Amino acid sequence: MKLLRHGPKGQEKPGLLDAAGRVRDLSAHVTDIAGAALLPDSLARLRALDPDSLPLVPGMPQQDLRLGPCVGGVGKFIAIGLNYADHAAETGAKIPSEPVVFNKWTSCISGPDDDVILPRGSVKTDWEVELGIVIGTGGTYIDEAEALSHVAGYCVVNDVSEREWQAERGGTWDKGKGFDTFGPIGPWLVTPDEAGDIGNLGLWLDLDGQRRQTGSTATMIFGVAHIIAYLSQFLSLQPGDVITTGTPPGVGLGQKPPVFLRGGEVMRLGVEGLGVQTQRVVKS
């Protein structure tokens, strides 16, 4: 299934994408694509529905029908840094021996095609296409062999980053990662049965039509199961938590010379089988 949230900001309703690429409303069956709706029993009930029996939502998704973040009520938005060896190399960083963990504030979450707003005075805002994990069954001390059974689905994430605040203003990375609009999620949550080989998905990002990032989840240093098991050793994962898993090479910081967002650009990015995002960059 491809689950989504459609409608104006703050008023999104739950839905799913049918075989014709149209949105079907799920409001009669779940209140939101969030929390308990992401548990296995709930997903099984939604999967059993006939999409043609559900109300058709007017408009085409990502054209004249806005999609919101594909998950609502996110409790934790956890990120993994330097998780592609070639990306670590382009930034001059050492290959980590354990996952590098930081937070993106949940207030940064936005729809897949909403504008990305540059922070005031920003001169080093950057892009990062990533594979996102959405937790279904929560837990602590999760065994790596069982970790994938805790996944409700996968999605595209743009881990937008302000590099000056991330690396030059003291403290941890979190400050540069959590500005409002710095966490586009979606367009849809793709359940594991439709997500393909999660360990070998292509990722890409274009800036104003020019390819900047190309990569594959096959080159991740720490895979999805390892990340889930690792995080669960020191925090409880809960339904609806989102984990974004790192970016392949081609970020602005790694260009020679570096290239950063100034306003007016259009970012278009995607993960194989999980959909595409398009964001216009605007000055605050």
Side-chain angles (χ1 to χ4, degrees), residues 119-262:
R120 292 180 182 177
S122 171
V123 294
K124 294 185 179 180
T125 296
D126 205 346
W127 56 84
E128 294 190 10
V129 60
E130 305 198 359
L131 167 70
I133 306 165
V134 180
I135 295 296
T137 302
T140 56
Y141 302 107
I142 295 168
D143 188 272
E144 187 168 339
E146 303 296 327
L148 295 185
S149 68
H150 291 257
V151 177
Y154 301 93
C155 63
V156 182
V157 177
N158 189 353
D159 175 21
V160 185
S161 308
E162 213 294 336
R163 302 300 188 188
E164 182 182 15
W165 278 99
Q166 177 186 352
E168 301 172 25
R169 301 295 291 265
T172 61
W173 289 6
D174 304 345
K175 290 185 292 186
K177 294 286 191 169
F179 286 95
D180 288 357
T181 74
F182 272 28
I185 296 176
W188 23 78
L189 180 158
V190 182
T191 52
D193 57 304
E194 293 191 10
D197 180 2
I198 211 66
N200 190 26
L201 298 180
L203 304 88
W204 57 272
L205 181 144
D206 293 345
L207 183 67
D208 289 337
Q210 180 179 354
R211 183 58 48 94
R212 293 290 185 172
Q213 288 189 271
T214 304
S216 169
T217 58
T219 66
M220 289 200 302
I221 298 167
F222 305 105
V224 169
H226 183 88
I227 289 168
I228 292 169
Y230 180 84
L231 292 173
S232 76
Q233 304 306 302
F234 53 84
L235 56 83
S236 62
L237 291 171
Q238 297 162 340
D241 285 347
V242 176
I243 305 165
T244 189
T245 58
T247 198
V251 299
L253 180 65
Q255 309 291 312
K256 300 185 184 303
V259 176
F260 297 112
L261 300 170
R262 302 300 186 195

Side-chain angles (χ1 to χ4, degrees), residues 68-94:
C70 62
V71 186
V74 176
K76 293 189 288 295
F77 192 5
I78 307 162
I80 307 299
L82 299 174
N83 198 27
Y84 288 71
D86 35 12
H87 170 58
E90 75 173 344
T91 62
K94 293 182 179 179

